[in-house]
Amino acid sequence: MKMGFLPTLWFQFLSTLPLFILILLGFLLIKRLKWPKTVTDSLTKFTFSVAIPIMLFHIMSHFSEQPSADYRLLFAFFGGTLLVFILGRIIAAKCFKLDGASGTMFAMGGIYSNNVFVGLPIVRALLGDEAVPSVALVVVFSALILWTLATISIEFAQIGKFSSSGIKKAIQGVFKNPVILGILAGLIVNYSRVPLPQFVNKSTQMVGDMAAPLSLIVLGMGLAEYKIREGLKVSSLICVLKLAILPLVIYGIARLLNLPTLETYVVVLLGSMSIAINCYIMSRQFNLLQPEIASSLLVSTVLSSFTTPLILAILTHI
């Protein structure tokens, strides 16, 4: 018997609550217990460069054992991000009178999901391991497409043209990304049909099991560095784009493509995630809207603890 909407919403909230408690734990370790920033930096580096890549390597090395993902999910996810990116540029220009480069950063805040530190653990918890290959596809192409899009758009806005060297640098950065390398290495092992020794398989599984909770804790530790006082008008609209408009647009495209249920859930949930830390790194790299993006990052992480379960509850009743 199908659960009612409110019981479903409560169930989804309880399912994601432990994950957001881990974020809160990391936040309190820095804010209340005054752990030094060096701990945050070291744990973040370990999580991003070792734990998450090994987890993805382990999962992708068994890729052929998972249900095959429908590759049309990429069109649903990135088609939605492109439409919302254009909308974000228009809003930035019309409502806030931002120039082209700042408008690009505003729009990137509305589309760049935290799919590694938050999306992957939440989708895995709610939908199971069979959803991970679909997440991995989005993660790989997100790094390539979104950094390239931002680089081209900002270069064009600043100098009136884009350079091949800027695009080349963006693509090189993607393929030096440990997360991407973990996924690609796992796929190579999977398709080479060379079985991993049991001790390697077990070791990567053990590291993978701690990657998700550790990533959420270090995210909370990182959030403790940010403030929400600056640029609240701009950051509020970024959060509306990111947490409401983007998942809605992605869902519409997924329905038009007649995506299977699992892939539809995956892309919509990934679209509903909080703003990525990479977006803040991007704002620092280009020196654009740093306070506003930091504020959006913090606010969207708090709000998504409610909006993501709500979206999943709505999906299960459509």
Side-chain angles (χ1 to χ4, degrees), residues 19 22-23 43-59 114-122 124 129 132 179 202-220:
L19 307 178
L22 293 180
I23 296 175
L43 283 178
T44 300
K45 185 175 182 180
F46 172 79
T47 303
F48 183 75
S49 300
V50 179
I52 290 176
I54 288 177
M55 177 188 70
L56 290 168
F57 169 81
H58 175 78
I59 292 170
N114 199 342
N115 288 332
V116 175
F117 283 100
V118 180
L120 180 57
I122 287 181
R124 192 180 185 191
D129 280 349
V132 172
V179 172
K202 187 65 177 176
S203 298
T204 56
Q205 182 180 2
M206 291 172 68
V207 175
D209 287 342
M210 72 178 184
L214 188 57
S215 68
L216 296 170
I217 291 172
V218 298
L219 172 60

Side-chain angles (χ1 to χ4, degrees), residues 104-136:
T104 292
M105 202 64 249
F106 175 92
M108 291 304 299
I111 65 173
Y112 209 146
S113 298
N114 199 342
N115 288 332
V116 175
F117 283 100
V118 180
L120 180 57
I122 287 181
V123 171
R124 192 180 185 191
L126 294 178
L127 302 179
D129 280 349
E130 61 270 22
V132 172
S134 297
V135 179

